[in-house]
Each structure stands twice: as structure tokens, then as C-alpha cells.
Amino acid sequence: MMATALDLHSLEQYCETLYNSSSRTSRIQVESLLNYHFPTFSFSSSAASSSSAAAASGADDDTLHKGHSPSINTPIESALFCRSLLENTKNQFALMQVFATSRLKSLVEDHFTTFTTPEQIGLRTFVLRYIYQNPTAPPFIIKAQEQLFAIITKLGWIENDEFRTLVDQLQVFFQLGTASEYRIIGMDLLTAVAAEMNIPNNRHATKYRKIAVNFRDSQLLPIFQFALSMLQTTLQVSDRSTDKFKESILILMRTCLSFDFIGTVPDESSDDIGSIQVPTTWRSVFEESGYLDVLWECWKKFHNHSSVLVMESLSQAASIRRSLFSSDDTRHAYIHHIMRETILTLKSVAGQNKIQDVGNFHEFCRMLSKFRSTFQMSEICEFKNFEQWISLIGEFTSRGFHSWKWSPNSVPYLMTFWGKMVPSISAAKQETQEYIQRVTVDLSRAYLKSRLECAQAVIEGEVDDPLESEDELVPTLETYATVARCKYVESAQYIVAEFKDLSKRHRELIQRASTGTTSPSLDSNEIKERLLSYQSTSEQDQMDGEMASEVLGFIHQIQIWSAQRPLFIASPDAHLYVQSAIIHFYTQFRSSYIGEESSKSVKVYTILGERWGLNGPNQVLDVIMNSSLGNLRSSGDPEWRKQEDQLTVRTLRLFTQLVSGYSSVKHIRKLDTTKALLKNHNSSDFKFLDPTKKSSDIAVARCRMVYYTMLSRLLFSEDNIETDFWRFVKPWELILDQVTLAFEGSSEHGEEDIRLILLGIFKDLRGFVSSITNRKQYNLFFEWFYPAYTPIVLRAMEVWPLDELGIAIMRFWHEFASNKSSRVTFDNSSPNGILLFRETRYKGIMLYFNVLTASLSGKYVNFGVFKLYGDKALDQVLEAFFSLTLAIPVEDMLTFPKLTHAYFSVVDVFVSDHMTGLSVVPKPVLDYMFRALGEIILPQNPDTICCTMACSAVDKICTFVLNWILKDKIRKNEHQEELHSNGSPGSGSNSQRSSVDLSRGPPNSNGRPVSRRRQQQRQQQQETHWLVEYLMASKDVLSFLFQIIFQVVVFEERNNYWSLSRPLLGLILLNRDYYVEYTNNFVHGQLPDRQEKVQEAVNALMEDIDFNMTTINRDRFTQNITAIVLFTL
């Protein structure tokens, strides 16, 4: 045994090195040694490392071949040794116990089905006994054992009846007189099992969901009821020593209600979305057991963290689905109970003191949010003390808004509560509606005031800026706008008054700064807050006009100051905040008052016309373009670069939205600002166009493309734009002509300069081409670019094939060759389609594959003419594809998702339309392709799209080969009949046969002469196709594909099951002998009690299946294979 090689002290030292050593080399050596002595039989890498350990220890050749200790040959032997190790060690060997437990966990997870039922039960019993006998072991060991117990219970849940009496089995931990440690461990065991049952498994989703459903229906409710009864008993005990036990009960209850009852597999981000879908069998818990009474009583009596956990349970109680209750009365009683306790909490001194705790305050806010999200306003309003309830919550919310320093994460929950409350007040009575409206006015003022206090605190450096994240800020302000619009005029008047005050203070600071050194940047956060809170609707246009007028006045004020001092704010962050707020204002104004229905907004433009002369959308668009265009210019200060980059991204996003509307883009196109921009689109002031500037931020890196996509939409928004187009591309022409001279050796530009120039140009061209949507626009660009500048493409790819420039060129060409919206349409007499296709042969690697896919599937060229006229373009393109494919190892091809998708896209098009027309494909290319087709299907979590394309390709290949074999068989039969007819007696005399015109060839079976062309066709038909020849000579390829696909279909749960099953029929028909051999081994590998049924399913698989690939035959086969799948789940 291993004890002779490793004593306990040595093993503990190895575990110490494994878990705590700072030396990576030492850890690897120890891990190899432990893998050798404690094999998991799971990974080849483990076997390799174990072999190295065995070699180091001087093991013999047989041992080296096994890769593990010769005394352990099966997973159960390894598990039993780990079990023995745990039984014979004490607490001083804690790390060794951790290792043994983790190794047991790996063995159970990977090989549980190889254990017999007695072995499974025995291992589970051992773990339970070990936990019971070692209650004082270190907590991390107890937790590991509890998790191991939960995993064993889950894996054996369906097959072992003993596993399904969980509560009864664990009663030993709760017997009268047992120490609190045992009761805590018992609760933790139940929690571990409930949590483990809720963990999905993508590989065997159906099986694991079946286990979870069975556990939900049979044990989850008894566990929850048991926990509730234990919680009731703790109410009678005031001893603080039971706090840990109380917490373990509450955690168990939380875990039970967090169970995935309906199989939606929610992630943690959806924790606060939706209601808890408990089954109907739980109804009595919430209607009859006094569940709410127990929870509220516990919350009042418990202390510290225990009370927070109770409030978390109350938050779950407020999320129980409405349809659970047996009647409206019981549901109303449940709702009103929560509301009544809420009033008592907010009114009583004890309740107020309780929610002074941060945890309780946060969970109370969360409970209010969930309560309103779950139950309807009409039900809530029926509560007799509704006005008192809503008034107290309003006061609590106002205080909560001002508690942003204390509990900032709680404010969004309060906003959610009121955001759900306000839109549904129409369901309430008239007086109730008016009362809520009055409350919301106070709330909107309180929230805005708290935000301004927060901004001031940020200015003074007291707290971090909570307004930094636009992703969090904007949704919150949208909810605030919903609340403020409940009583819109009063709320808006307060906002306008505050904004006027701030604008006045800003003017005073500007005046002081004009005469001294004071900067007006102090109020930038407050400016940001007020501007971002603007969000318009079609209601109360006059009030919106007032607000918009004030904001436009502030913007005008900033423009005047910035004209005097470009860096008018000392802080780049403050500059970003203010300009971002202005952009947000423009975005909201555009969505409501600029567009097809802008004529309805008379009041808004009346006010704007009176104060600023803006009488319609066109004038406002002019203001937006003029004021925002400056955001694209750079100050040149390196300290401002990050903020200016972000501002450029947001400004271009605004411009993209402005040009996306049909009417707005027409208006913008006519503006003088826009005309000037189109004439000088590559201004040196726009630093984001500088190719030397690189950014790791993807949005910043894409600014050039977004910019020219927007300009392209503007340019092509009018019909007759030929003159404007040629003027627009003139700057590009000058640059590309310089590049041409440089390639000819007549330029002073260096190689790096040329590379950077081309890098920028092709990013620009890609963005420009991407927005072209019709034939006229595309032909205009095509005539300019081809053939004048395509030599630059070729030369650049030759000089910088592996550089980022090559990637930029390929992305441009992919966009250029894509026939989206059928824009690539040439006249019948035009050779442009063929010329465009021919150019794609110069492109390479991943993006070459994308270009090739677009070209081969674009349907703008008839590939038949290539062979007819002896054009080698198609052959050369495919040869390049083959060469590039072989240059990339299969492992790399399948490692990078984009490359994988690009490759299989080409393969799919190739086998569909171009495979049969080639005279030959090299054998290494076929070996590579079939290996890749198999290995992309194999992983447990493959790319579904690529896997589906691979299955489709295999299916098409098998179909072609089978059809060729069937046709060849028919041709051979016809030939035999012809020979038999010509050589049979009575078929004609010698004189008759000699009278045939020999120049026409021999006669056919009807005695008619056959032309030489027909003879050649017959000869070609009789020649074996290269693909048929390859597969018939390489049956191992068919075996490889069949084995992979069959295992995936039978043993794994995939979303593309139908696609996976389709190629199996062809693989079986082409390799019937291997199918028989494999299925026999497959049946013998099943458990003895299942072999007979699986054999029956295998026998039925090919019943009524003919040797063809007709749709009826395929569908019948797919139905048959489903039976095998059902037996192996």
C-alpha cells in the first residue's frame, strides 16, 4: 500500500507545499507526486504528470505506462484510500484532510456512475459519520465535507431511495440535548444539499433538471417547513449563544426560497427581478402557518446579523407570486399584513431604531421594492390605512435619499419602489391619486436636493463621485423623471428654479474668473446633475420649453466663456461631466421634439423662439451641431486625453442618432456646419483621426469608423450628390496618390509613415462603405476606388501581411465585398462582378476567409463562366484558401472563435457549391478538413453555430458520396445491359454492324450512333470522383466522425440536436461494418440491467431504413435514434 511510500507526516508536508508554497516549481512537483499516489483517472495531463512523478521515484515500465500507483487501479480504490486516510488522521493533519476531501470530490463528480449502489451508500454514510464524529474540526474541513455529502446525495438521488429521506436521516443532529454545534452542522448540511440541487449542469441538463424537480417536489417543502418550525422554537430562547444557530436556520430558509422552481436558471444579476415561483403545494405555508407572524416577530427580537437575515427573508416573502394564493381575500390579507407591519416599523421607536442599522435599512428598502414589483396597485390601495402607509414610506424615502453617504446602494431600491408606484396610480381612487401626487412632489425635491448635496461633497473631496458611472446614473435619473412627472408642473418648477440659481452662480464665477484666476469648475458636478435629470415627454410642452430654454441659455453661456478661454474648466473630469450632460440633454430633446412629429410641439418652439430665436427643429439642430462639433477637437493636453476620448465617443454617438432619422438627416444635411464638415472632414484638429493614437478602449478605437459611417449617411442623404462625392473623396485621393509615389520610391515619407497613413485610410473607408445601402451609391464608390487604388491594397498586403494594417485592409475588403441590401449589382455587360471577385484572391487568414465567404455566397457572379473561359481565378482563390488552412495548426484554428467561425463559414459554402466542380483536392487538405469537422463537434460547450455548420458539411459530403455511388451503380447496370444486348443472338448480323458509320462512334443500345462528346462524358462519369475515392480509401475518417457525433447525440444535451443527428445516417450507410462493431461495444458497455433495452433500441435504429438519403428516410432515422437517447439519459 501507499503507506509504505508516504507516511502521514510526509503527506502533510506535501499538502503544505501544495496549498501554501510560494514556489511554483515546488507546487508542480508535489502535485505530480500526489496525482501519482492519488489518481483521479480523469485527465491525461494528470496521467502525464503522474508518470513524471513515477519516473522520478524509479518506477518500472508497467507503472510508467499506467501513470499511477500500481496499488490503485480503479476510481473506487482511489476513493477508498482517501476514505481510509480521513478515518486514520487527526485534526493536526488539517491540510491532508482538505486534500483527501477534494480528491474524493473529484472522484465522485467524474466517476460516480462506476460505483455500485452499496459503494455509493457506503461512501455517503461515511461522510455523514465523519462530520458527526468531528464537529470541532476546522470550519473549512466541515464545509468541504458538507459539500461532498451534497454532491453524493445529488448524483445518487434518482437511483437510491435512501437518499431521498433527507430530513429523517439528519434528525440525529437535532436530537434533544445535542450541542449547538451539531444543530448548526445539521442546518448547514440541509443548506448544502438545497444549494447543490439548484446548480445546473450544461452537459446533462435534462438529467440534472429531473433531479432538481424531484428534489423540489419531494423534499424542499419538508426542509423549509422543518426550518420554519426550528425558527419558531428559537423565539422562546433569548440566549445570545444561539445566534449562530438562528443564522444557519435563516440561511437555509433563504436558500430554499432561492431555488430555481421553474427551471429558468436565473443569474445573480436577476436577483431583484420577478417574483418567487413557489409551487402550489407551498400554499399552506403562506396562508395558514403564520409565516409572516414568525418572521416579523423574529426581526423584532433578533440582534445583529440575525435580524438582517430575517429582513432578507421578509424581502423574499414580499416576492411570493400572486397566483399562489387560493383566493383574493387570502392574498389581500397577506398583502395587508405586510403593509400593517411596515406601518408599525416606521411609527414605533423600536422599529426606527432597528432600521438605523445599515444592513436592516438596506434590506428594508429592498423589501419595499420587491413588494411593489410583485403586487398590484389595486390590491395595495384596498388597505384601509393606505394613505398612512404611503405617507410613512414617503417620509422614510426622503430620509433615505439624504442617507446616500451611509447606504448609497439602497437609494436605487427606493427609486424602484416609486418608479413602480407612480405609473399605476390610475388604479387608485381620485383622492388617493392626488395624495400620491403631492408625495411625489416632495420626493422629487428631496432627491434632487440630496444629489446636489452629494455633488458638493464630491467637490470638497469628502466622498468618491457616485455620478461617475453613466450606466448606473442614467437609469436612476430616468426613474426620477417618472416620479417627477407624476405632478409635473410643480416638480419641474422646482428643477427650473434650482437650475436658474446654479446658472446664476456659474455666471458670477465666470465674471470673477474673467478678472482674476478663479475657475468656474466648482459647480461642474451640480451642472451635470441638473442637466442629466432632463427627460422630455409629449406632456406639458410649455414646462419642457421653460426647462429647455434655461439649459440652452446655460450652454450659450459656456460657449461664450469657452471662446475666450478654451480650457474653461480646470478639471478634465469636470469638463467631461458638463459636456456629457449637455449631450444627454440633446439626446432627450431630439427623441421628443425633433423628428416626424415635431410639428405637434408648438408650445416648446414658441418659448424657444421668443427667447433664443429657435422657431423649429432645424434651428435647434444647427445649435446642436455647432455646440457639439467642438467636442471632436482636442486641446492637445496629454492630461485631458482620456476624458476627451470619452467625450468624442459620446459626441459621435449623438451624431449617429441624429443622422439615423429620415427627417433629421435631411435637415442636418442642409446646415452650413454640415456642409463645411463634409468639405473638411479630415481636419487636423480632430485628433481621433491621428493613426498614431492608440487606445485599448474598443469604443475609442472605433471612432474613425463611426465618424465616417455618420458622414457617409449625411453625404448620401440627398439624391444628386456626384459633385459632393468627388469633392468629399478628394482628400483621400491626395493621400493615396502620395502613397502610390512612395511605393514607387518617389516620396520622402518613410515606411512607418506610409503604414500609419494607410492604417487610418482603410479604417475610414471601412466606415464609409458600411453605410452604403443601394446600387447607385455603391457603383459611385466602386468607380472611384477600382481599379485606381486596388494596387495599393495588394502592395500593402505584401509589405505588411501580419501587421494591424493587414487586418484593417481585410476588414475594409470584407465590407467592400459584402452584398448587403443587394447593393453590389452591376449591368449584365459589366465585368465588375468578376473583377471584384478576382481581387479577393489577394487576401489572407481569418479576414480572408470572411471575404471569401462573402464573395462565394454573394450571388453577384456566375462561377460557371470561369471554367468555360479558362479563367483560373476561382481555382487560385481556393488554392490560396487550402494553403492558408494548412499553414494554421488545427488546434489554433479551433482555439480562436472568430477564426473558427470564419473557417467553417468557408467550408460550408465550399461543400455546398464548389466542392464537386473541382478536379481534385489535395489529401492533406481533406485530412485537415475532416479532423476539424470532428473536433469542433467534440467539446462539451462548443460554438453552436460552428458545430451546426460542421454537421451540415458532413451531411452534405455523405449525401454527395452516397448519391454518386447510387448513380454509379445505375450506370454500371445500364452498361452491362448494353453489352449484353449488343452481344446477344438476334441482335443484328455482321453486315448490319459493319454498316455503322465508324466516325460517329459505336452504336448505343438502341442501335443509334454515339457522338465522341457523349463518349467523353461517359468516360468522365465512369471515373471515380476524388471525394468518393478518398472516403472509400479512408474509412477511419468515417469511423472518427461517426464515433464523435454518435457520442454527442446519445450522451450530451445540445441545443442543435436535430443538426447533430442528420449526418449520422450517411456515416452509417457508408461504413456499415464499423457501425455494427461500434454499437455492439456500446451495448456491452451499458449496465447489465439496461443492456437488453438498449440492444432493442439499437436494433430498431435501422429498421425500415433504405440505402438512400431521401427526406423521408432521414426523418425516420432521426425518430429511431431518439429511442436510444431516451435509454441513456
Side-chain angles (χ1 to χ4, degrees):
M1 288 295 292
M2 291 303 307
T4 60
L6 288 177
D7 58 70
L8 294 180
H9 288 282
S10 297
L11 190 55
E12 178 67 12
Q13 291 177 356
Y14 289 141
C15 293
E16 175 71 27
T17 302
L18 179 66
Y19 291 116
N20 297 326
S21 175
S22 59
S23 171
R24 182 173 180 271
T25 303
S26 299
R27 287 200 306 270
I28 293 175
Q29 291 176 347
V30 167
E31 184 178 9
S32 299
L33 183 64
L34 292 174
N35 285 338
Y36 171 74
H37 291 299
F38 299 87
T40 61
F41 302 93
S42 297
F43 304 102
S44 58
S45 60
S46 297
S49 61
S50 299
S51 296
S52 63
S57 61
D60 57 28
D61 292 341
D62 291 339
T63 301
L64 288 174
H65 179 72
K66 289 182 178 181
H68 56 77
S69 171
S71 61
I72 298 178
N73 298 303
T74 63
I76 186 61
E77 291 180 1
S78 185
L80 290 175
F81 184 74
C82 292
R83 169 179 170 177
S84 175
L85 196 63
L86 287 170
E87 289 176 330
N88 294 287
T89 55
K90 303 299 181 182
N91 288 345
Q92 64 264 28
F93 300 105
L95 291 178
M96 187 165 54
Q97 292 174 340
V98 172
F99 171 77
T101 303
S102 65
R103 191 50 52 104
L104 267 176
K105 178 184 174 184
S106 298
L107 290 165
V108 167
E109 289 179 330
D110 295 335
H111 305 288
F112 190 75
T113 55
T114 65
F115 296 0
T116 64
T117 299
E119 290 170 344
Q120 295 174 0
I121 296 174
L123 184 58
R124 181 173 180 268
T125 303
F126 159 74
V127 174
L128 196 60
R129 184 175 65 250
Y130 179 87
I131 295 173
Y132 186 80
Q133 292 175 350
N134 298 276
T136 58
F140 57 88
I141 294 179
I142 295 296
K143 289 296 180 184
Q145 289 288 333
E146 289 170 351
Q147 187 179 15
L148 176 60
F149 174 80
I151 292 172
I152 297 172
T153 301
K154 178 179 181 178
L155 295 176
W157 186 263
I158 299 297
E159 291 79 9
N160 298 299
D161 295 338
E162 183 178 332
F163 286 17
R164 298 196 292 272
T165 57
L166 196 59
V167 177
D168 294 338
Q169 289 178 343
L170 298 181
Q171 283 300 319
V172 64
F173 289 90
F174 303 101
Q175 291 177 354
L176 189 63
T178 55
S180 60
E181 291 84 358
Y182 288 102
R183 289 181 292 165
I184 293 172
I185 291 174
M187 286 297 171
D188 289 345
L189 281 168
L190 291 173
T191 302
V193 173
E196 180 64 33
M197 291 291 182
N198 201 33
I199 299 175
N201 184 289
N202 294 328
R203 183 177 180 183
H204 300 292
T206 302
K207 177 181 179 180
Y208 278 74
R209 186 58 197 167
K210 182 179 179 182
I211 293 172
V213 169
N214 187 285
F215 175 77
R216 177 199 69 189
D217 295 341
S218 62
Q219 285 292 300
L220 191 58
L221 177 58
I223 290 174
F224 185 79
Q225 291 173 324
F226 174 72
L228 183 59
S229 65
M230 296 298 288
L231 185 64
Q232 288 176 304
T233 61
T234 61
L235 281 173
Q236 312 303 323
V237 181
S238 58
D239 187 359
R240 296 292 296 272
S241 63
T242 61
D243 284 354
K244 288 291 184 182
F245 181 52
K246 296 173 183 177
E247 291 178 9
S248 65
I249 297 173
L250 292 166
I251 292 172
L252 174 59
M253 294 176 64
R254 180 185 64 190
T255 304
C256 290
L257 286 180
S258 300
F259 197 83
D260 184 12
F261 290 99
I262 58 175
T264 55
V265 194
D267 56 23
E268 294 193 7
S269 63
S270 62
D271 178 56
D272 297 305
I273 300 176
S275 55
I276 300 176
Q277 302 296 317
V278 292
T280 307
T281 52
W282 290 54
R283 178 177 292 159
S284 60
V285 173
F286 301 99
E287 289 187 352
E288 303 170 5
S289 64
Y291 173 63
L292 288 177
D293 288 324
V294 173
L295 290 182
W296 282 109
E297 188 66 22
C298 288
W299 185 71
K300 295 170 185 176
K301 290 186 176 182
F302 288 0
H303 305 280
N304 301 333
H305 186 56
S306 298
S307 64
V308 176
L309 289 173
V310 177
M311 184 53 69
E312 191 173 352
S313 293
L314 284 167
S315 179
Q316 289 180 316
S319 306
I320 301 300
R321 64 182 176 96
R322 296 178 60 257
S323 56
L324 174 69
F325 299 93
S326 58
S327 65
D328 291 343
D329 292 339
T330 53
R331 181 170 60 251
H332 293 167
Y334 187 87
I335 294 170
H336 297 165
H337 191 164
I338 295 176
M339 297 175 71
R340 186 167 57 253
E341 291 292 345
T342 303
I343 291 175
L344 292 175
T345 299
L346 295 175
K347 282 182 64 178
S348 64
V349 176
Q352 290 284 355
N353 292 335
K354 202 79 171 179
I355 57 178
Q356 291 299 315
D357 175 73
V358 175
N360 277 303
F361 177 84
H362 179 74
E363 289 300 332
F364 188 77
C365 295
R366 192 161 170 251
M367 185 270 291
L368 292 176
S369 173
K370 287 194 170 189
F371 175 76
R372 180 58 195 92
S373 299
T374 303
F375 299 107
Q376 295 180 354
M377 185 66 172
S378 58
E379 299 169 328
I380 296 174
C381 289
E382 291 185 4
F383 182 48
K384 62 180 181 179
N385 296 323
F386 172 79
E387 289 191 3
Q388 183 185 18
W389 178 77
I390 198 68
S391 176
L392 289 170
I393 293 179
E395 295 173 2
F396 172 77
T397 303
S398 296
R399 295 195 302 272
F401 286 160
H402 291 286
S403 302
W404 52 268
K405 281 186 181 179
W406 181 54
S407 183
N409 296 328
S410 304
V411 174
Y413 288 114
L414 295 174
M415 291 299 297
T416 300
F417 173 85
W418 290 101
K420 296 283 187 181
M421 181 69 70
V422 168
S424 56
I425 62 172
S426 59
K429 300 176 183 178
Q430 182 63 35
E431 56 271 20
T432 302
Q433 294 184 32
E434 295 175 355
Y435 186 81
I436 293 177
Q437 289 173 349
R438 291 194 298 272
V439 172
T440 57
V441 172
D442 295 335
L443 289 177
S444 65
R445 293 176 179 177
Y447 179 78
L448 184 57
K449 188 175 181 180
S450 70
R451 296 298 89 189
L452 295 177
E453 292 174 356
C454 177
Q456 186 63 38
V458 172
I459 292 171
E460 295 172 358
E462 296 180 6
V463 295
D464 294 332
D465 188 0
L467 310 179
E468 270 186 339
S469 174
E470 295 281 337
D471 294 336
E472 297 178 6
L473 178 62
V474 172
T476 302
L477 292 176
E478 288 175 350
T479 305
Y480 168 68
T482 300
V483 175
R485 282 197 295 271
C486 184
K487 196 71 172 175
Y488 191 66
V489 174
E490 288 83 347
S491 298
Q493 286 174 346
Y494 179 77
I495 295 173
V496 171
E498 289 290 325
F499 195 91
K500 285 181 178 180
D501 178 64
L502 182 58
S503 183
K504 179 181 177 182
R505 291 166 55 194
H506 189 263
R507 283 195 302 271
E508 293 173 353
L509 285 171
I510 286 177
Q511 291 172 359
R512 273 187 276 165
S514 300
T515 58
T517 58
T518 305
S519 170
S521 61
L522 295 176
D523 300 285
S524 60
N525 287 285
E526 299 179 33
I527 293 169
K528 175 187 178 184
E529 181 64 52
R530 284 179 167 88
L531 291 180
L532 280 174
S533 63
Y534 173 86
Q535 187 183 36
S536 175
T537 66
S538 59
E539 299 177 349
Q540 303 294 339
D541 286 350
Q542 184 173 358
M543 199 66 244
D544 285 347
E546 293 284 347
M547 296 175 65
S549 178
E550 291 297 329
V551 175
L552 288 172
F554 172 76
I555 295 171
H556 180 66
Q557 180 177 300
I558 287 181
Q559 286 180 318
I560 294 175
W561 174 253
S562 61
Q564 300 172 4
R565 296 188 179 185
L567 299 183
F568 65 94
I569 296 180
S571 166
D573 288 332
H575 177 61
L576 174 65
Y577 289 168
V578 172
Q579 294 301 325
S580 296
I582 293 173
I583 290 173
H584 184 75
F585 164 76
Y586 286 152
T587 302
Q588 299 301 325
F589 189 89
R590 170 205 158 272
S591 65
S592 296
Y593 297 117
I594 298 177
E596 283 68 21
E597 298 183 359
S598 59
S599 59
K600 299 179 181 179
S601 310
V602 178
K603 293 182 180 179
V604 170
Y605 288 109
T606 299
I607 296 175
L608 295 181
E610 292 173 354
R611 297 190 183 182
W612 302 105
L614 305 176
N615 298 308
N618 291 1
Q619 289 87 347
V620 176
L621 283 171
D622 197 8
V623 171
I624 293 175
M625 292 297 295
N626 278 317
S627 65
S628 301
L629 195 59
N631 294 335
L632 302 182
R633 298 186 176 92
S634 173
S635 65
D637 188 339
E639 295 182 359
W640 287 58
R641 177 177 173 180
K642 179 180 177 181
Q643 290 77 6
E644 288 178 339
D645 286 344
Q646 292 298 319
L647 192 56
T648 298
V649 170
R650 295 167 187 177
T651 302
L652 290 175
R653 191 182 301 146
L654 169 65
F655 286 169
T656 301
Q657 293 173 352
L658 291 175
V659 301
S660 62
Y662 177 79
S663 60
S664 59
V665 73
K666 295 287 186 182
H667 294 321
I668 295 174
R669 181 68 170 83
K670 299 174 183 178
L671 298 176
D672 293 337
T673 303
T674 304
K675 294 177 181 178
L677 181 62
L678 291 174
K679 291 178 182 179
N680 189 28
H681 54 82
N682 62 341
S683 172
S684 59
D685 292 337
F686 299 157
K687 295 300 182 182
F688 66 92
L689 295 178
D690 184 357
T692 61
K693 287 184 57 178
K694 295 183 179 180
S695 175
S696 58
D697 189 327
I698 296 177
V700 175
R702 289 172 58 88
C703 279
R704 290 189 75 129
M705 193 185 77
V706 174
Y707 174 66
Y708 277 100
T709 300
M710 180 269 297
L711 291 183
S712 179
R713 289 176 184 171
L714 280 173
L715 180 65
F716 291 118
S717 62
E718 293 186 353
D719 295 330
N720 301 317
I721 47 87
E722 285 79 4
T723 302
D724 291 339
F725 172 80
W726 293 110
R727 186 186 298 116
F728 185 89
V729 298
K730 190 65 178 177
W732 287 338
E733 288 181 352
L734 297 175
I735 295 174
L736 291 174
D737 289 342
Q738 291 178 6
V739 172
T740 302
L741 292 175
F743 283 149
E744 294 174 354
S746 304
S747 174
E748 297 180 356
H749 291 289
E751 181 176 322
E752 180 63 13
D753 294 334
I754 297 299
R755 188 188 71 84
L756 292 175
I757 290 172
L758 288 178
L759 179 62
I761 283 290
F762 283 107
K763 287 182 178 182
D764 301 344
L765 293 177
R766 179 190 174 197
F768 188 82
V769 175
S770 66
S771 64
I772 293 178
T773 57
N774 61 49
R775 173 184 176 182
K776 181 179 179 181
Q777 298 168 4
Y778 186 87
N779 286 344
L780 194 61
F781 181 85
F782 186 89
E783 291 172 5
W784 169 73
F785 186 76
Y786 187 90
Y789 300 114
T790 48
I792 294 178
V793 174
L794 173 59
R795 181 61 178 152
M797 290 299 296
E798 290 174 350
V799 177
W800 299 284
L802 303 178
D803 188 77
E804 59 178 330
L805 173 58
I807 302 297
I809 293 175
M810 293 306 304
R811 285 174 173 163
F812 157 70
W813 202 273
H814 180 214
E815 189 65 51
F816 181 49
S818 297
N819 191 18
K820 56 186 181 183
S821 303
S822 300
R823 64 183 184 176
V824 189
T825 306
F826 302 108
D827 295 334
N828 293 332
S829 60
S830 172
N832 287 342
I834 295 175
L835 294 174
L836 176 61
F837 171 77
R838 287 172 61 85
E839 290 300 328
T840 63
R841 62 179 174 169
Y842 300 116
K843 317 303 178 274
I845 315 296
M846 177 192 73
L847 291 172
Y848 172 83
F849 295 162
N850 287 334
V851 173
L852 187 57
T853 301
S855 301
L856 293 175
S857 60
K859 301 188 183 202
Y860 46 77
V861 59
N862 182 0
F863 290 102
V865 301
F866 286 85
K867 189 172 184 180
L868 181 63
Y869 292 101
D871 194 326
K872 299 292 186 180
L874 177 60
D875 293 340
Q876 291 172 350
V877 166
L878 292 177
E879 286 174 6
F881 166 62
F882 297 153
S883 300
L884 289 170
T885 298
L886 294 178
I888 305 172
V890 176
E891 294 78 9
D892 292 347
M893 183 71 78
L894 303 182
T895 299
F896 303 100
K898 290 184 179 180
L899 180 62
T900 306
H901 188 275
Y903 172 73
F904 283 102
S905 297
V906 181
V907 169
D908 187 53
V909 176
F910 171 70
V911 301
S912 300
D913 303 325
H914 302 280
M915 176 180 64
T916 59
L918 293 178
S919 58
V920 68
V921 173
K923 184 178 183 297
V925 174
L926 293 174
D927 292 340
Y928 186 103
M929 182 177 71
F930 282 109
R931 180 186 170 189
L933 288 172
E935 293 191 5
I936 193 61
I937 300 172
L938 185 61
Q940 296 180 6
N941 298 299
D943 184 319
T944 302
I945 297 176
C946 292
C947 178
T948 301
M949 287 192 291
C951 291
S952 174
V954 174
D955 185 40
K956 291 171 183 175
I957 291 171
C958 292
T959 301
F960 170 79
V961 174
L962 280 167
N963 289 339
W964 191 94
I965 292 173
L966 291 173
K967 291 178 181 178
D968 184 63
K969 184 177 180 180
I970 294 172
R971 285 194 298 268
K972 289 180 179 179
N973 290 337
E974 289 178 348
H975 183 63
Q976 292 295 330
E977 292 176 0
E978 179 181 340
L979 293 176
H980 179 72
S981 175
N982 290 337
S984 63
S987 61
S989 62
N990 291 336
S991 60
Q992 288 175 324
R993 289 196 294 272
S994 63
S995 64
V996 176
D997 184 0
L998 295 177
S999 66
R1000 298 288 304 278
N1004 60 14
S1005 59
N1006 297 323
R1008 297 176 181 174
V1010 181
S1011 66
R1012 294 190 184 278
R1013 183 177 179 182
R1014 177 60 177 160
Q1015 281 184 293
Q1016 294 174 354
Q1017 291 177 345
R1018 282 189 172 183
Q1019 185 178 359
Q1020 292 176 354
Q1021 291 174 348
Q1022 291 172 0
E1023 294 178 356
T1024 303
H1025 191 277
W1026 55 265
L1027 183 58
V1028 179
E1029 193 175 70
Y1030 171 82
L1031 287 180
M1032 292 301 100
S1034 306
K1035 288 294 185 71
D1036 56 328
V1037 171
L1038 297 173
S1039 304
F1040 167 71
L1041 292 173
F1042 170 79
Q1043 181 178 353
I1044 287 176
I1045 298 176
F1046 185 83
Q1047 289 179 351
V1048 170
V1049 168
V1050 173
F1051 294 112
E1052 296 188 20
E1053 291 287 334
R1054 298 278 186 90
N1055 296 329
N1056 56 341
Y1057 171 79
W1058 185 87
S1059 299
L1060 284 163
S1061 65
R1062 301 304 276 183
L1064 275 179
L1065 177 58
L1067 292 170
I1068 292 174
L1069 295 178
L1070 289 174
N1071 199 11
R1072 191 65 179 262
D1073 293 340
Y1074 179 78
Y1075 162 72
V1076 174
E1077 177 187 351
Y1078 181 84
T1079 51
N1080 286 337
N1081 294 332
F1082 171 74
V1083 172
H1084 293 152
Q1086 302 296 312
L1087 295 175
D1089 57 338
R1090 302 172 65 185
Q1091 289 184 5
E1092 182 178 355
K1093 292 183 179 180
V1094 175
Q1095 184 66 61
E1096 292 175 359
V1098 170
N1099 295 338
L1101 182 59
M1102 298 301 290
E1103 284 186 3
D1104 302 325
I1105 301 298
D1106 300 324
F1107 191 84
N1108 60 59
M1109 297 295 285
T1110 61
T1111 303
I1112 296 176
N1113 211 37
R1114 290 166 176 267
D1115 293 342
R1116 188 182 297 123
F1117 176 81
T1118 302
Q1119 294 174 0
N1120 292 348
I1121 200 172
T1122 304
I1124 297 181
V1125 176
L1126 294 176
F1127 281 122
T1128 55
L1129 285 177

